[in-house]
Structures are given as structure tokens and as C-alpha cells.
Amino acid sequence: HPWIDAEAVAWLGARTTSGGAGDVQTLTVRVRDPGGRVELRAGRFVFASGAIRPTHVDGARAYGRLPFGTALEAFAGAPVAPRLGSRMYDVVVGGRVSQSFGSWVSIGGAYMQRHKGGTVIDKEAGPDLFLSPTRWLDIAGRMAFDLVNKAPADALASVGAHKDDLRLEGFVTHRSPTALLPSTSLF
């Protein structure tokens, strides 16, 4: 049917003494209207939208686009983590609101928070912007701000020029070390 589809990505490996033989990276079912205005996705997926950092989650995502260029997106679920024991009360929720003005500018804002045992342990928010002032020039930027540590977590600015099959792009990025390594890391 044109309104429902499913996807799966898994990796397989040889069985080891620890019992691991592979894992499912994504496994989702998506239901959407044929016009692409409303969509619901459920399963295991990577939520990546706007300025917040990508989050691997077992949960659901809803998306809606209004006729005048506004888009609303929300997700909720349990963060996917290596088998480190129970994560019974881990929850991650977030979303993004954006506004497009034709095909040449889009501005948005995103928010995400992670809970563990009922306590908020991580919060992130940030804006994103896309400009295409000419047919051959694209400018984009985003910045995620860590609201717990009161510091930028991730920032990116890029400029791209393109003509036919040739594209030249320059970018600058910043990533906080605390955003790269989980608190359970040995490094």
C-alpha cells in the first residue's frame, strides 16, 4: 500500500563466548498519508532533526506539515544502549518546530530531554537555519545547546556551491567532548 511501509537494518556476527551474535539497528513501520503531510513511525530508529544530536531510540515519531509551511515533529521512547543492565525507567522525549518560506529559507527550533529513574539527566535545545539565496548557493547552520552543563554541545555551519554534477562545500563544526562520550565510558 502507498500509505504504509517497513524497513529493517541489522548486523550479524559470529556467536562469541559472551553470547552476542548481532543486533537490530533499525526496525520500523511507517504510516503516512499519500500527500506526505502526516506521518507516524514506530519501532527502533535514529531520530535526527534540526539542531539536536541524533538519538537512537525504541519508540515513536509523529510528523505533521501544515499548508502554510509550518512543520511539527515529536518523538518519545527508550534510548537504545549497549546491554549494560536494566534501563527500565530511561525515557527520551523531544521535538522540532520549523517554518519554511518557499524553497529558499527554513528556520527551526528543536528540544530534547532524557530521563533516568524519573530524573532529568540531559536536556538540549537549539536553532537551525537553511538559506538558498540563489539557485547555486546553499547556507546552513545549527547549534545544540546543553541545558544541563550550560554549554554548546554541537554546532555546524556550512556553505555549498553547486552546478550540474559538481558541488563544492566548506564547513566548520564544534563538538563538546561530553557530548561525544557517554557518562559510562571508560575513556
Side-chain angles (χ1 to χ4, degrees):
H1 299 285
W3 52 272
I4 188 167
D5 61 35
E7 77 175 36
V9 175
W11 63 269
L12 303 173
R15 185 163 295 278
T16 64
T17 56
S18 63
D23 201 357
V24 173
Q25 300 299 306
T26 64
L27 178 60
T28 63
V29 173
R30 179 179 71 157
V31 179
R32 65 183 182 92
D33 79 300
R37 293 176 304 272
V38 178
E39 176 180 300
L40 178 63
R41 180 181 300 263
R44 176 172 284 186
F45 56 94
V46 176
F47 181 80
S49 183
I52 60 175
R53 290 173 289 137
T55 303
H56 202 189
V57 64
D58 289 332
R61 170 196 174 259
Y63 173 82
R65 188 180 62 204
L66 302 173
F68 46 88
T70 302
L72 307 168
E73 197 170 9
F75 78 102
V80 175
R83 293 170 182 81
L84 298 173
S86 175
R87 54 176 192 151
M88 186 171 160
Y89 297 106
D90 289 2
V91 176
V92 61
V93 297
R96 178 175 183 257
V97 176
S98 67
Q99 179 66 49
S100 294
F101 302 95
S103 61
W104 64 277
V105 66
S106 175
I107 187 167
Y111 177 79
M112 181 270 307
Q113 66 176 242
R114 188 172 316 219
H115 300 255
K116 184 171 184 82
T119 303
V120 176
I121 60 168
D122 188 20
K123 289 193 288 188
E124 202 169 281
D128 59 271
L129 173 69
F130 170 79
L131 297 170
S132 186
T134 68
R135 292 185 334 170
W136 56 270
L137 182 65
D138 298 331
I139 302 167
R142 69 173 194 252
M143 188 201 71
F145 192 78
D146 183 338
L147 299 171
V148 172
N149 295 318
K150 309 278 192 260
D154 186 36
L156 174 78
S158 69
V159 175
H162 50 89
K163 183 172 171 66
D164 300 324
D165 292 337
L166 181 63
R167 179 168 179 85
L168 179 63
E169 186 169 351
F171 67 93
V172 61
T173 187
H174 163 77
R175 289 200 175 95
S176 169
T178 59
L180 294 173
L181 297 175
S183 59
T184 56
S185 175
L186 298 174
F187 302 101

